[in-house]
Amino acid sequence: MDAVDVSEHYEVTTAEETPSLLSIILDANPRAWAALSDVLPMSRAIANILVFVNAHLAFSNSNQVALIGAHLDRAVWLYPSPPKPKSKTGADASGDVPMQDVPAAAAPSSSANKYPHFAQIETAVLSSVRSLVDNTTEADLATTTTQLSGALTLALCHINKAAQALCSPVANLEDSRKANASDAPPTVRGRILVISVSDSEPSQYIPTMNAVFAAAHAQVVIDTLSLSGDPTFLQQACFNTGGTFLAATHPQGLLTYLMFGLMADSEAREALIAPTHDTVDFRAACFCHGRVVDTGFVCSICLSIFCELPPGAECLTCGTKLALGNYGAKPAVLPRKKKKKRRIVNGNGREETGSATGTPRP
């Protein structure tokens, strides 16, 4: 029939888009933002981040976003905001605390000039940041450590929960094994963007690296935009997860870095040339004093790193007796092999042989 009526029939199939979940971790260190206030105030930075969030959501109706604040002594949700607990525990019958997009008290006023979803996110983020700043005390300012590891853990848990919510129930065990296979397409493309303004804290090395390895195992990309400071551990996080690390030389152009360097997700980057970082600082923090060291002693059992030999040559983590072997000994110098002398015979150089006369010529 196709040849008779000269028509072409196509088999139409529908394919759902894989949602992209962007989790933004904002370094809310007050000391770092105070030092950066002349170049980029925190209020202007949040306004630029909200524009970036709106652009991410405008790409697809299925895209999602989450914002987490990494403070001095805690990691808090900026969006979605947890509701006020109605009971003492604040959990339902299953023990889970429900989340909502925006608190009822902070509901935005209706405006025809602003998309309602964008207005909800803006109201929730500004309300959460204002509450975070108001609850910061002088005792909190005595601590200089940013809880980056806690924020990474919250982001990974949120991505995993979103992926589990989108999974369809499997019929049998064989289908569940196929769904959990490594080559199965992901139900959600999750990635984490860290906006850093402070240095990496050596005491946060172990929990941060644990979160990075978990992200690499879950195929979650970690991107970093460093406005100031030297985030050594975040460079390693971007390298291990295949993310992008950008060090902003002009922090006032925050929106430009976000829109042109960090807008594309992991799937779109396969068709683009993503910015790369030339050098990566692979230094680690020792387990004994928390110092960032270039060389040290490594336990062969638990891979713990020590800047100096532990007391009694015993690993402080697993208790294994460390055997140093010939550590500190001078390297052995092997004598050079004597080369055979070459003598000239009839104007030609030839290797010396054991015969007294030369080789007869025809």
Side-chain angles (χ1 to χ4, degrees):
M1 291 296 298
D2 295 342
V4 174
D5 55 7
V6 196
S7 62
E8 297 178 356
H9 299 274
Y10 298 95
E11 183 178 354
V12 180
T13 59
T14 59
E16 297 181 357
E17 294 184 2
T18 303
S20 177
L21 174 55
L22 173 62
S23 299
I24 301 177
I25 298 178
L26 176 62
D27 188 352
N29 193 323
R31 294 179 179 271
W33 281 109
L36 201 63
S37 59
D38 296 337
V39 180
L40 179 65
M42 189 176 183
S43 58
R44 186 186 303 174
I46 294 177
N48 294 337
I49 293 173
L50 291 176
V51 174
F52 174 70
V53 168
N54 296 343
H56 169 74
L57 296 176
F59 269 108
S60 175
N61 191 32
S62 60
N63 287 356
Q64 304 176 20
V65 70
L67 287 92
I68 303 171
H71 203 46
L72 295 174
D73 57 345
R74 60 192 180 274
V76 297
W77 284 99
L78 303 180
Y79 176 84
S81 303
K84 296 181 179 180
K86 298 181 180 180
S87 60
K88 295 183 179 180
T89 59
D92 52 11
S94 61
D96 191 11
V97 177
M99 305 284 287
Q100 61 183 11
D101 292 345
V102 60
S109 58
S110 59
S111 175
N113 298 326
K114 187 176 295 187
Y115 185 61
H117 193 192
F118 296 166
Q120 289 180 1
I121 297 177
E122 178 182 352
T123 305
V125 171
L126 294 180
S127 177
S128 301
V129 172
R130 189 177 298 110
S131 176
L132 180 62
V133 174
D134 294 340
N135 295 332
T136 303
T137 60
E138 295 182 1
D140 298 336
L141 296 178
T143 306
T144 59
T145 304
T146 303
Q147 293 295 333
L148 180 62
S149 59
L152 289 173
T153 304
L154 286 179
L156 289 175
C157 292
H158 183 69
I159 293 174
N160 182 57
K161 186 177 181 179
Q164 294 294 334
L166 293 175
C167 287
S168 58
V170 292
N172 48 37
L173 181 60
E174 186 66 24
D175 294 339
S176 63
R177 291 177 179 176
K178 294 180 180 179
N180 295 329
S182 58
D183 56 349
T187 56
V188 59
R189 294 192 303 271
R191 64 187 178 110
I192 300 175
L193 171 61
V194 182
I195 301 178
S196 174
V197 294
S198 57
D199 300 335
S200 295
E201 184 66 25
S203 60
Q204 290 286 315
Y205 175 73
I206 300 176
T208 301
M209 287 297 106
N210 290 337
V212 170
F213 295 148
H217 180 73
Q219 299 180 359
V220 176
V221 177
I222 298 180
D223 300 328
T224 300
L225 175 59
S226 176
L227 300 179
S228 64
D230 186 16
T232 303
F233 304 151
L234 290 178
Q235 294 184 27
Q236 302 178 23
C238 297
F239 180 82
N240 293 332
T241 59
T244 301
F245 180 85
L246 292 179
T249 56
H250 301 283
Q252 60 270 20
L254 172 61
L255 185 59
T256 304
Y257 288 104
L258 293 174
M259 298 295 290
F260 289 93
L262 300 169
M263 174 58 70
D265 56 4
S266 57
E267 184 178 4
R269 291 177 187 179
E270 298 178 358
L272 300 175
I273 301 177
T276 57
H277 194 59
D278 296 336
T279 59
V280 180
D281 192 351
F282 289 103
R283 292 183 300 169
C286 65
F287 286 37
C288 49
H289 301 91
R291 305 170 185 167
V292 179
V293 294
D294 297 328
T295 58
F297 301 89
V298 181
C299 177
S300 59
I301 303 301
C302 63
L303 301 181
S304 298
I305 304 172
F306 305 101
C307 60
E308 58 186 19
L309 187 64
E314 184 176 342
C315 179
L316 302 179
T317 304
C318 62
T320 303
K321 199 69 175 178
L322 302 179
L324 299 181
N326 295 328
Y327 175 76
K330 295 182 179 180
V333 179
L334 300 177
R336 295 183 179 180
K337 295 182 179 180
K338 295 183 179 180
K339 297 182 178 179
K340 295 181 178 180
K341 296 181 180 181
R342 304 174 65 90
R343 68 174 183 175
I344 300 177
V345 178
N346 296 329
N348 295 327
R350 59 182 295 275
E351 192 172 330
E352 185 178 355
T353 60
S355 60
T357 59
T359 304
R361 300 179 62 182

